[in-house]
């Protein structure tokens, strides 16, 4: 055990952790020439194209230092705020962390939040200044920021470049010298933490774990504590680029278990594995159910594809346990599913994967968050969908979720960012000056306000220099109203939203104007109205396409023309009763991009 080192890589999005992981694998000769490619641990096409890590990956390396052989277990983590629970479990499975900071961009929000997570878990932190080969790098200034944040001396910071390989040998040396060996008792009852799981179509769900105490042998009968399910360990082993079966995986090591699990619900990230015969006293702390933050309806474009969509979502859920879905129906769109996502990036990735991996074209409704609705009798119900809101006369009050957001930016952009947050009903908590001209602004914001376009706006007003990180804070009473869109007095349930009373009139008016542009003209007048309850707050009319029926009148009395016009009017009226208005797909998407 003294020669095992478990460490993870934490960084803000796009600070080069996957590239640095490539170099570590290359220098320890874990991967030979023919397998070497950029971002080797990001094995999804989507991850490569976007240059982001979506799932965390683990890999074992062998390295000889001063004549001794060391086993290094690297756990690569996602950098985006949507996947922060996954990052927290990866951190819990390690004794050390490489904190990577981009020499051109400096410290950003996710860097700080992941760093605090690592400090809470008592990890030894090795600060690394990456991308020092860039012409725009500012190593001196960024080192000052790291010194100020961590309180370490300058000579402990390693300067490196994942691209050129500079400083990689120093990193390997630092991992062996500075990261402590895992502590644990081989003879104690088995206690292992699941930090990830993947789905294999032939073998079922494979769980990745780190053993804190005890050991696990092939054929053992094991129990997952949170789900209380028991399994036979058909195969156990360690993780190189492929899985390497072993007879036994011992204390301090990172490995995998295959036990023929068929449903993703049975393997929860953060759960504890123990033996059935000799169970451990208590589970490893920190386990929580991953809660979806953003909800949206997914509907097949062709209603016959409903069952195919269900199958696709089930298969996708095997790879991504944080996706939740349940069937729902809509008058405008037919049958579909109400899906829960961790955030907007997660929602985008799920849509993209449905399209690529399963060839499913879907319509997505306006994303919203879950509200707690209290009725007059004091009962509380969670509502994920505006259609599920009870009658207004029965509601006592509605609580909406608030987040604690941290924005790190240059002092130049403080004004516009504060204006943006106040416009989203934010409450300023505090400001911290990190170093020189960098400031951290902490706000409490309603989750519903940042769901749609907050991140894009933040990036554009700060010219890309602001970084954003958030976590759930609490629920607070709020004055929310349900805004309905009516076409010819018929409500279109897929376009209804829950919004704050102060924004409702403005939002309703903009929505009507936008729909007027997008809905094609019909043979009859179409009235587009926005309503709160029975009160209409905005209206636009799409004029009918008309034929000039008076063309054949070439003189005579006006009453002849009027007679023809009245006859046409009657026809249009009859048409309006039987005609229905088709809402194009673009209209649903336009609501997301109203600004």
């Amino acid at each position: 055990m003294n020669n095992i080192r478990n460490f993870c890589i934490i960084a803000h999005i796009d600070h080069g952790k996957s590239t640095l992981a490539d170099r570590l694998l290359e220098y320890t000769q874990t991967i030979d020439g023919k397998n070497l490619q950029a971002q080797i641990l990001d094995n999804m096409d989507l991850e490569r194209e976007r240059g982001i890590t979506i799932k965390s990956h683990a890999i074992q390396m062998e390295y000889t230092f001063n004549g001794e052989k060391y086993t290094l277990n690297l756990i690569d983590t996602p950098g985006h705020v949507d996947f922060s629970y996954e990052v927290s479990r990866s951190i819990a499975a390690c004794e050390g962390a490489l904190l990577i900071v981009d020499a051109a961009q400096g410290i950003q929000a996710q860097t700080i939040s992941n760093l605090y997570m690592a400090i809470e878990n008592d990890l030894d932190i090795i600060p690394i200044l990456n991308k020092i080969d860039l012409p725009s790098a500012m190593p001196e200034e960024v080192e000052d920021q790291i010194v100020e944040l961590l309180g370490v001396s300058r000579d402990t910071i390693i300067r490196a470049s994942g691209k050129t390989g500079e400083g990689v040998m120093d990193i390997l040396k630092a991992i062996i010298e500075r990261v402590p060996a895992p502590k644990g008792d081989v003879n104690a009852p088995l206690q292992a933490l699941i930090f990830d799981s993947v789905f294999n179509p032939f073998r079922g769900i494979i769980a990745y774990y780190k053993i804190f105490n005890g050991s696990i042998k092939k054929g053992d009968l094991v129990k997952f504590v949170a789900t209380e399910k028991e399994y036979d360990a058909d195969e156990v082993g360690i993780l190189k680029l492929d899985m390497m079966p072993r007879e036994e995986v011992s204390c301090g090591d990172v490995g995998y278990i295959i036990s023929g699990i068929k449903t993703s619900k049975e393997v929860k990230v953060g759960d504890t594995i123990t033996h059935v015969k000799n169970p451990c006293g208590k589970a490893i702390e920190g386990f929580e159910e991953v809660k979806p933050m953003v909800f949206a309806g997914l509907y097949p474009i062709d209603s016959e594809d409903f069952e195919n969509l269900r199958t696709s979502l089930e298969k996708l859920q095997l790879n991504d346990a944080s996706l939740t879905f349940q069937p729902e129906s809509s008058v405008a769109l037919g049958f579909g599913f109400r899906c829960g996502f961790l955030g907007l990036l997660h929602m985008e990735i799920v849509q993209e994967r449905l399209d690529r991996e399963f060839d499913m074209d879907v319509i997505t409704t306006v994303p919203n968050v879950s509200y707690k609705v209290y009725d007059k009798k004091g009962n509380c119900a969670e509502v994920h969908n505006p259609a599920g809101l009870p009658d207004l006369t029965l509601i006592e009050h509605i609580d909406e979720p608030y987040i604690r957001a941290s924005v790190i930016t240059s002092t130049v952009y403080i004004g516009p960012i504060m204006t943006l947050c106040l416009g989203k009903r934010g409450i300023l908590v505090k400001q911290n000056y990190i170093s020189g001209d960098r400031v951290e602004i902490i706000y409490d914001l309603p989750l519903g306000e940042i769901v749609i376009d907050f991140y894009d706006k933040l990036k554009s007003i700060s010219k890309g220099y602001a970084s954003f990180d958030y976590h759930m804070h609490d629920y607070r009473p709020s004055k929310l109203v349900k805004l309905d869109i009516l076409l010819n007095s018929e409500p279109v349930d897929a376009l209804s939203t829950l919004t704050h009373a102060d924004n409702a009139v403005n939002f309703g008016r903009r929505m009507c104007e936008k729909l007027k542009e997008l809905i094609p003209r019909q043979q009859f007048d179409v009235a587009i109205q926005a309503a709160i309850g029975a009160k209409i707050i905005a209206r636009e009319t799409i004029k009918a396409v008309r034929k000039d029926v008076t063309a054949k009148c070439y003189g005579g009395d006006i009453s002849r023309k009027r007679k023809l016009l009245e006859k046409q009017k009657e026809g249009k009226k009859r048409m309006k009763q039987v005609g229905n208005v088709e809402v194009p797909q673009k209209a649903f998407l336009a609501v997301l991009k109203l600004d």
Side-chain angles (χ1 to χ4, degrees), residues 39 43 66 104 146 190 242 304 323-324 372 399 452 510 523 583:
Q39 295 164 344
N43 48 17
N66 290 347
I146 296 175
L190 171 69
D242 297 317
E304 289 165 6
L323 169 70
T324 59
K372 288 185 175 169
D399 284 3
I452 295 179
R510 294 204 327 250
Q523 293 282 349
V583 183

Side-chain angles (χ1 to χ4, degrees), residues 309-324:
L309 180 60
R310 182 198 292 274
T311 322
S312 308
L313 283 168
E314 278 168 1
K315 284 182 180 164
L316 199 57
Q317 199 180 36
L318 292 172
N319 268 322
D320 182 353
S322 45
L323 169 70
T324 59

Side-chain angles (χ1 to χ4, degrees), residues 140-371:
E140 299 300 326
E141 292 166 36
V142 180
E143 272 188 3
D144 288 342
Q145 293 175 18
I146 296 175
V147 168
E148 205 157 317
L149 180 70
L150 280 173
V152 291
S153 64
R154 286 185 93 94
D155 52 5
T156 57
I157 301 170
I158 300 171
R159 292 190 181 191
S161 162
K163 199 169 172 186
T164 62
E166 185 184 338
V168 175
M169 284 313 199
D170 298 337
I171 295 174
L172 286 166
K173 183 179 170 205
I175 290 167
I176 289 168
E177 289 177 350
R178 295 198 222 164
V179 175
K183 299 177 184 70
D185 182 358
V186 186
N187 303 318
L190 171 69
Q191 191 184 33
L193 169 79
I194 300 178
F195 62 84
D196 197 10
S197 66
V198 292
F199 174 67
N200 180 314
F202 306 107
R203 321 272 322 247
I205 308 248
I206 302 167
Y208 295 168
Y209 54 82
K210 184 229 170 167
I211 300 185
F212 281 72
N213 290 309
S215 63
I216 185 168
K217 293 188 181 70
K218 186 178 171 180
D220 280 352
L221 185 63
V222 295
K223 176 173 137 184
F224 289 16
V225 177
T227 54
E228 297 191 338
K229 295 248 192 293
E230 297 179 4
Y231 305 102
D232 283 312
D234 298 337
E235 181 178 312
V236 295
I238 56 161
L239 298 151
K240 286 283 178 77
L241 196 54
D242 297 317
M243 294 181 290
M244 303 278 184
R246 293 277 187 273
E247 282 302 312
E248 180 179 23
V249 180
S250 186
C251 181
D253 226 331
V254 171
Y256 70 90
I257 176 170
I258 299 178
S259 47
I261 304 168
K262 297 290 185 294
T263 56
S264 64
K265 295 262 191 316
E266 294 178 21
V267 180
K268 299 199 186 289
V269 171
D271 196 358
T272 306
I273 307 177
T274 187
H275 281 130
V276 174
K277 286 181 180 159
N278 183 13
C280 58
K282 63 179 182 19
I284 295 160
E285 289 169 7
F287 171 72
E288 43 184 277
E289 296 277 350
V290 183
K291 288 193 185 69
M293 310 276 268
V294 175
F295 296 86
L298 291 185
Y299 292 85
I301 285 178
D302 189 350
S303 54
E304 289 165 6
D305 286 342
F306 175 71
E307 280 305 322
N308 295 352
L309 180 60
R310 182 198 292 274
T311 322
S312 308
L313 283 168
E314 278 168 1
K315 284 182 180 164
L316 199 57
Q317 199 180 36
L318 292 172
N319 268 322
D320 182 353
S322 45
L323 169 70
T324 59
F325 64 91
Q326 59 199 54
E328 70 165 4
S329 65
S330 144
V331 182
L333 298 171
F335 290 104
F337 294 93
R338 190 89 196 149
C339 301
F341 308 97
L342 297 176
L344 277 198
L345 176 81
H346 187 214
M347 175 173 138
E348 223 174 287
I349 284 162
V350 167
Q351 274 172 278
E352 186 97 1
R353 285 182 69 181
L354 279 173
D355 182 30
R356 286 187 185 198
E357 296 170 26
F358 305 101
D359 215 14
M360 292 297 309
D361 275 339
V362 291
I363 295 177
T364 315
T365 62
V366 187
N368 60 347
V369 298
S370 64
Y371 297 96

Side-chain angles (χ1 to χ4, degrees), residues 302-516:
D302 189 350
S303 54
E304 289 165 6
D305 286 342
F306 175 71
E307 280 305 322
N308 295 352
L309 180 60
R310 182 198 292 274
T311 322
S312 308
L313 283 168
E314 278 168 1
K315 284 182 180 164
L316 199 57
Q317 199 180 36
L318 292 172
N319 268 322
D320 182 353
S322 45
L323 169 70
T324 59
F325 64 91
Q326 59 199 54
E328 70 165 4
S329 65
S330 144
V331 182
L333 298 171
F335 290 104
F337 294 93
R338 190 89 196 149
C339 301
F341 308 97
L342 297 176
L344 277 198
L345 176 81
H346 187 214
M347 175 173 138
E348 223 174 287
I349 284 162
V350 167
Q351 274 172 278
E352 186 97 1
R353 285 182 69 181
L354 279 173
D355 182 30
R356 286 187 185 198
E357 296 170 26
F358 305 101
D359 215 14
M360 292 297 309
D361 275 339
V362 291
I363 295 177
T364 315
T365 62
V366 187
N368 60 347
V369 298
S370 64
Y371 297 96
K372 288 185 175 169
V373 179
Y374 291 88
D375 61 15
K376 299 261 166 88
K377 294 175 183 168
N379 301 327
C380 170
E382 261 197 26
V383 173
H384 305 311
N385 186 350
L389 203 66
D391 193 71
L392 284 174
T393 52
L394 304 173
I395 296 173
E396 180 66 39
H397 67 271
I398 303 176
D399 284 3
E400 69 173 328
Y402 267 71
I403 56 163
R404 177 64 55 94
S406 139
V407 177
I408 294 183
T409 179
S410 151
T411 45
V412 184
Y413 305 111
I414 289 184
I417 287 174
M418 285 190 158
T419 312
L420 172 70
C421 293
L422 290 170
K424 298 280 184 191
R425 312 200 320 259
I427 302 158
L428 179 64
V429 180
K430 63 177 176 187
Q431 263 173 282
N432 301 326
Y433 283 87
I434 298 173
S435 69
D437 64 341
R438 290 175 75 77
V439 62
E440 179 181 30
I441 312 171
I442 295 176
Y443 264 94
D444 282 350
L445 286 156
L447 181 62
E449 292 279 347
I450 68 151
V451 144
I452 295 179
D453 58 357
F454 179 81
Y455 195 59
D456 300 347
K457 280 186 172 172
L458 180 71
K459 281 290 182 204
S460 56
I461 60 176
S462 66
K463 301 191 173 57
Y465 279 108
S467 59
F468 172 66
D469 174 61
Y470 66 86
H471 58 266
M472 272 302 293
H473 194 54
D474 56 4
Y475 279 79
R476 299 178 190 183
S478 190
K479 197 176 167 193
L480 296 166
V481 290
K482 182 183 171 193
L483 182 74
D484 286 314
I485 298 291
L486 314 173
L487 294 180
N488 280 346
S489 312
E490 288 291 318
V492 183
D493 55 352
L495 288 174
S496 60
T497 51
L498 277 172
T499 177
H500 195 263
D502 299 350
N503 307 342
V505 176
N506 186 13
F507 188 62
R509 196 167 291 141
R510 294 204 327 250
M511 220 144 133
C512 290
E513 285 163 10
K514 194 76 182 173
L515 289 172
K516 186 182 178 183

